[in-house]
Amino acid sequence: EEPFLSAEELVIDMPALFRTQRTGRLLTTLACAFAAASVPVFPAQGAVAPAGDPPAGRAAAAPLPGGLGPCVPGTCPPGPYPPVTNGTIRYRDNAINIFAGGDFLVRGSAAEAEGRVVVLGDFDQNKKAGVSAVYNIGEAGVGSRVAPPVGSDWLTTGGDVTVAEGQRLLAEQGVVRHAGTASGTILARDTPRDPDAAAPYTALRGQLSAASQCYAHGENGTRTPTGTAVHAGGETLFTGDGTSALQVFNVDFDLAGASGGQEGVRFANIPDGATVLVNVLGTRRVINTYSGGIDDATDPLNALRERLLWNFPDATDLELKGTGQFQGSMLIGQDDSDTTVSLPGINGRFFTAGSLTHTSAASGGGGQEFHNYPFVGDLPECGTGPTQTGTVEVTKKDAEDGTVLPGAVFELWHETNGVPGVQTSGDNPDDQIGPPCTTDARGECRRPVPLGTYYWVETKAPDGYDLPSPGVFGPLVVTAANAREDVEVTAENVKTPVVDPVGALHVIKTDRTNGRRLAGAVFELWRETNGRAGLQTTGADPDTRRGQGCATDGRGRCDFPGLPLGTYYLKETAVPDGYRRPSPAVTGPYRLTEDNADKGVTVRLSNKRGDPHKGGKG
């Protein structure tokens, strides 16, 4: 029988479909939808993978979570996606090609994001002056030319869509659906405001984060590699074992030249059809490369594209730059991460739990593009279902007025040693989860985690606040019952008391003739307080005397510590035996300021010898 709908005619409303299903049941729902239309669901992975079927005798593992990765009809290509071209659009892919759990910023002279784009935060376009004012979403002038279905959601945001004055966001045959506001010039079939626009996709953020950790670290530390990654000779060479269906590489360095410049990326001894998983470890990473090209026939990196995943489980600061048409899909797992992309092309799915900035190199050049290519590889099995992971969150606030505070640094610890409370040191500590987190402008740190018990440990307070003692917040218990909700705790800080700076005045008394230090000189200290020049010690409004008198010791020294900043005078009231009283007996003014408060002000005063029979008092 003829199908009720042809593959060319069938367009699935993915947001509506997501809204009717629990996360993790998407593939089942799609299968039912397409079976009803007598249209195949996803082609078998071997049918769409340009690298061929997995090696014989090797068990397939798992795809990316949430149904992400393969083409979703639309009208999917029957085999490999077309190479980068400007040809006619013949195929439609309703899968998410770019996902950002934070914000998506368009800067510099970036040009296009091909395929469906989902952003849980804001989409903000503000390109630099003097470049093309256009940014394309969904359909690219040059790319795989596999666009989302006409009339489907091409851009979805959980926040605002903002396009700078004089610029244009083009999604001309698609829908821009947003939960917040929309401002600026947006050319689309429709721009509906939908408060629940991003709701179908919020679980993906935690699932991707958990999967990223699993792919890199598994359950027992860093995942065992099957090959080596060697950084030498102007390239990073990845050498596989030649047999494994899943080729795993762990990289703990930047893919860049010794001086930070561009270098090549090359793979060797990878069996046909194998999935390649590259775990790039570390919190700050750079890829600066010329590798990858437009011509699939001549560039060997391109052949791995649809089974190559670059995984950044720990990176909070990631930069992808150079001159290459980089190949493979990207997964950035930290939800407080910031990724900056200025490569001319990213050819593969791009999934980040954090924020993304699409821009151009500071040195010039433009036209940076994301191209729509699927990921169909077989990855390690990971528990990423909605009841198997949750999110723990800490919010930092001022203890007095409740103001949220950015800039606090927390470590997250998982209760693993069976001892109540958190142990961060010793022979059997609990496990630290990921790198430290710094609270953002909302005062928040959030982390996706498996089920279990967790503690936030504050290691640095915001500027102007005291570090609490103890700085431990928890336990936060993530269970199957609450895994769909953030498990939260508030951490309050008290402001550091403001202490006015103080200084000191140091007096050194010497013999005027030979410089010998003299004991027994007595001084009064007066502070300028009445606003009149000079020292007034009597009358209706005198200056203020500070403390008792001070006599020079055997080193000829007399100190007045702990003085507020200000102007002071010294009055000598007694001289060493055998010396004359100076005239005048008042010296100053001496000024204590913020600049000299640490060291104080040192005053050197001398006396002449007098008639010894007068005891130095004449």
Side-chain angles (χ1 to χ4, degrees):
E1 295 181 358
E2 290 294 323
F4 180 73
L5 292 175
S6 69
E8 289 76 17
E9 295 170 324
L10 180 62
V11 174
I12 286 186
D13 182 351
M14 289 294 289
L17 185 58
F18 263 107
R19 292 188 189 99
T20 64
Q21 303 300 320
R22 292 183 177 272
T23 304
R25 298 182 181 176
L26 171 62
L27 296 179
T28 302
T29 306
L30 286 171
C32 294
F34 280 91
S38 300
V39 177
V41 195
F42 307 139
Q45 287 189 347
V48 300
D53 293 325
R58 301 286 175 171
L64 283 163
L68 299 173
C71 177
V72 175
T75 312
C76 294
Y81 272 43
V84 174
T85 180
N86 62 352
T88 302
I89 293 179
R90 299 172 53 204
Y91 304 109
R92 300 283 178 177
D93 176 7
N94 207 19
I96 298 170
N97 190 53
I98 300 172
F99 175 88
D103 300 327
F104 188 152
L105 310 180
V106 178
R107 298 292 187 262
S109 52
E112 298 175 327
E114 190 175 43
R116 284 193 61 218
V117 178
V118 172
V119 182
L120 298 189
D122 297 332
F123 178 90
D124 185 285
Q125 177 181 332
N126 190 3
K127 301 173 68 173
K128 68 181 181 181
V131 303
S132 169
V134 170
Y135 191 80
N136 289 302
I137 282 279
E139 184 177 313
V142 176
S144 68
R145 300 291 283 164
V146 180
V150 173
S152 65
D153 287 3
W154 288 17
L155 171 62
T156 303
T157 74
D160 301 335
V161 178
T162 304
V163 180
E165 184 177 359
Q167 299 184 22
R168 303 188 304 280
L169 174 64
L170 302 187
E172 293 175 292
Q173 297 189 76
V175 172
V176 174
R177 188 180 301 275
H178 53 95
T181 62
S183 60
T185 302
I186 303 169
L187 301 181
R189 286 202 168 191
D190 195 8
T191 57
R193 183 180 182 278
D194 178 356
D196 297 323
Y201 312 106
T202 55
L204 290 178
R205 190 182 202 189
Q207 289 184 322
L208 289 170
S209 295
S212 179
Q213 287 293 316
C214 169
Y215 299 156
H217 301 306
E219 296 180 355
N220 301 303
T222 302
R223 186 172 295 278
T224 302
T226 60
T228 60
V230 178
H231 180 84
E235 69 174 11
T236 297
L237 173 61
F238 296 88
T239 304
D241 65 6
T243 59
S244 298
L246 176 63
Q247 298 283 314
V248 179
F249 300 93
N250 296 330
V251 180
D252 60 358
F253 51 80
D254 291 341
L255 275 65
S259 60
Q262 295 189 68
E263 70 165 22
V265 174
R266 183 161 62 94
F267 288 85
N269 207 29
I270 306 296
D272 289 343
T275 297
V276 179
L277 171 62
V278 181
N279 294 312
V280 185
L281 310 176
T283 58
R284 298 174 65 90
R285 282 290 168 247
V286 174
I287 293 180
N288 189 4
T289 184
Y290 52 78
S291 290
I294 291 178
D295 188 352
D296 285 357
T298 60
D299 197 301
L301 185 60
N302 293 33
L304 298 175
R305 178 170 55 218
E306 296 186 16
R307 288 185 176 272
L308 171 58
L309 180 67
W310 301 88
N311 179 37
F312 301 84
D314 307 317
T316 55
D317 189 341
L318 175 61
E319 185 176 12
L320 308 176
K321 62 182 181 178
T323 59
Q325 285 283 336
F326 204 57
Q327 305 293 319
S329 294
M330 298 276 178
L331 174 58
I332 299 100
Q334 293 296 326
D335 61 11
D336 57 350
S337 63
D338 288 296
T339 302
T340 301
V341 176
S342 60
L343 278 161
I346 295 287
N347 298 276
R349 304 295 197 211
F350 195 97
F351 304 133
T352 175
S355 292
L356 168 64
T357 298
H358 197 200
T359 187
S360 52
S363 58
Q368 285 72 19
E369 303 172 1
F370 288 99
H371 296 147
N372 183 24
Y373 286 96
F375 177 79
V376 296
D378 299 317
L379 293 163
E381 290 281 1
C382 291
T384 57
T387 63
Q388 294 174 310
T389 63
T391 300
V392 290
E393 177 180 324
V394 60
T395 302
K396 172 58 64 176
K397 292 186 177 181
D398 181 295
E400 184 176 348
D401 61 17
T403 303
V404 296
L405 301 174
V409 179
F410 287 90
E411 295 173 349
L412 181 63
W413 289 80
H414 183 196
E415 173 60 68
T416 56
N417 64 3
V419 179
V422 62
Q423 290 79 44
T424 63
S425 61
D427 294 335
N428 186 27
D430 293 310
D431 288 342
Q432 184 176 348
I433 306 299
C437 175
T438 302
T439 54
D440 57 19
R442 299 183 298 272
E444 296 176 356
C445 278
R446 302 174 71 253
R447 285 284 166 80
V449 291
L451 306 187
T453 300
Y454 298 87
Y455 297 86
W456 288 103
V457 177
E458 187 171 358
T459 60
K460 180 181 180 298
D463 290 343
Y465 287 82
D466 288 340
L467 188 67
S469 180
V472 177
F473 301 91
L476 293 90
V477 182
V478 181
T479 66
N482 66 15
R484 286 185 166 278
E485 305 170 358
D486 289 352
V487 181
E488 303 173 280
V489 66
T490 297
E492 295 183 339
N493 285 63
V494 176
K495 288 182 179 178
T496 302
V498 177
V499 178
D500 291 333
V502 296
L505 203 63
H506 310 291
V507 181
I508 297 176
K509 172 63 72 171
T510 61
D511 183 296
R512 185 168 299 178
T513 302
N514 59 26
R516 183 170 61 90
R517 300 285 184 101
L518 301 175
V522 179
F523 294 90
E524 293 176 353
L525 181 67
W526 291 76
R527 185 180 184 189
E528 173 62 66
T529 56
N530 64 5
R532 288 183 285 155
L535 174 62
Q536 294 82 43
T537 62
T538 60
D541 186 21
D543 292 310
T544 303
R545 183 176 173 182
R546 293 282 304 186
Q548 302 299 314
C550 178
T552 57
D553 58 18
R555 298 176 300 160
R557 187 179 180 96
C558 175
D559 296 307
F560 294 93
L563 301 177
L565 304 187
T567 300
Y568 293 87
Y569 298 89
L570 288 167
K571 182 179 180 180
E572 192 167 352
T573 60
V575 296
D577 193 31
Y579 286 83
R580 297 178 182 176
R581 188 192 308 275
S583 180
V586 174
T587 60
Y590 306 110
R591 292 181 173 86
L592 284 175
T593 66
E594 290 186 0
D595 292 336
N596 63 26
D598 288 342
K599 294 183 177 180
V601 173
T602 299
V603 179
R604 296 179 181 273
L605 300 173
S606 61
N607 289 78
K608 290 182 179 181
R609 286 185 177 275
D611 185 342
H613 298 292
K614 296 182 179 179
K617 307 299 182 185

